[in-house]
């Protein structure tokens, strides 16, 4: 009787033990399965995010390239859109032909950047900024658009193109470097070291325009001189070139007197060491033109020449 009871208890213990092991195996299997499925789902989610992120960046890169190239190649619609005010049908463009961008249109784009670029081009879905960086270090770079610390932004797309910018060349009325040096109302000014050029102004022009003589750095502080006279007054008050720019309105006003219009001559006498390195021009700048938009330390001749620049467009998604 006792033997039979012992054998029965052993059998139950064995069966209970076997049953316990079986339930544990199922529980472990379930845990492993859940972990495996979670890992697979996580990996799939990460892969999907990477694919979507890659597609979004690819689309952003494509859009950025397309926008920058269109700005450079096309003048915009209408051609004179930079003179329009609050035009709803404006399509901005900077192109002036031969990979040249027009500075006046760039300034107009700067003034209405949010409306013309953020809203019209990028449909208010993308943030952006534009920078014009001249290769000549004497010409200051210009940057405008969305102002954000890009170190804190992920997936910033940067596209850069080499262009020429005309800057303020439209204000240049005489380029002395490009002129012949054998013509002057003064017969004594026929040497190779003389540059003499005529120009004409109306008296009313002096009310609305500032006239400047500009010289390159190599002429400053040397024995080079300049003067202005007219056929009625041949006296020449020679002035040493002591700085890069001279506003000559007062000289012109004194000589024009009560005349409605007058022909003037500018005479530049160069030291023999500066004949081949000479660069200078006469510019006429409207008084209502805001020079502070581009200049910090005064007029420089470099702003009145075509300059090689990098035009850069940066874009990133809004948070």
């Amino acid at each position: 009787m006792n033997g039979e009871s012992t054998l029965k208890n052993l059998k139950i213990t064995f069966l209970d033990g076997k049953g316990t092991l079986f339930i544990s195996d199922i529980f472990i299997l379930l845990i492993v399965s859940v972990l495996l499925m979670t890992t697979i789902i996580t990996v799939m989610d990460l892969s999907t995010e990477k694919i979507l992120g890659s597609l979004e960046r690819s689309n952003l890169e494509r859009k950025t390239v397309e926008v920058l190239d269109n700005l450079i190649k096309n003048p915009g619609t209408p051609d004179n859109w930079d003179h329009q005010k609050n035009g709803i049908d404006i399509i901005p463009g900077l192109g002036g032909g031969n990979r040249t961008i027009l500075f006046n249109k760039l300034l107009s784009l700067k003034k209405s950047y949010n409306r013309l670029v953020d809203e019209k081009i990028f449909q208010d879905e993308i943030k952006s900024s534009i920078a014009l960086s001249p290769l000549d270090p004497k010409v200051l770079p210009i940057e405008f658009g969305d102002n954000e610390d890009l170190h804190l932004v992920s997936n910033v797309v940067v596209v850069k193109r080499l262009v020429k910018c005309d800057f303020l060349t439209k204000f240049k009325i005489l380029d002395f470097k490009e002129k012949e040096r054998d013509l002057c109302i003064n017969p004594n000014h026929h040497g190779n070291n003389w540059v003499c050029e005529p120009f004409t102004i109306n008296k009313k022009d002096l009310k609305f325009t500032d006239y400047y003589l500009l010289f390159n750095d190599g002429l400053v502080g040397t024995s080079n001189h300049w003067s202005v006279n007219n056929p009625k007054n041949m006296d020449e008050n020679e002035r040493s070139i002591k700085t890069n720019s001279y506003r000559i309105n007062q000289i012109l006003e004194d000589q024009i007197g009560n005349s409605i219009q007058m022909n003037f001559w500018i005479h530049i006498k160069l030291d023999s060491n500066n004949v081949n390195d000479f660069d200078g021009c006469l510019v006429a700048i409207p008084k209502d033109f805001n020079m502070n938009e581009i200049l910090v330390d005064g007029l420089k001749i470099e702003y009145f020449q075509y300059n090689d620049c990098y035009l850069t467009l940066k874009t990133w998604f809004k948070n």
Side-chain angles (χ1 to χ4, degrees), residues 126-142:
I126 295 169
K127 289 189 174 183
S128 67
S129 66
I130 288 179
L132 184 70
S133 307
L135 274 59
D136 187 343
K138 295 178 183 177
V139 184
L140 298 175
I142 299 172

Side-chain angles (χ1 to χ4, degrees), residues 180-181 183-185 189 194-198 265-268:
E180 298 293 332
R181 302 180 182 182
L183 176 68
C184 184
I185 56 174
H189 296 183
W194 282 96
V195 178
C196 306
E197 287 298 327
W265 282 78
I266 290 178
H267 312 278
I268 301 168

Side-chain angles (χ1 to χ4, degrees), residues 6 110 151 162 184 203 252 285:
T6 301
K110 176 183 177 181
H151 293 94
L162 182 64
C184 184
K203 186 172 183 176
L252 300 177
I285 304 173

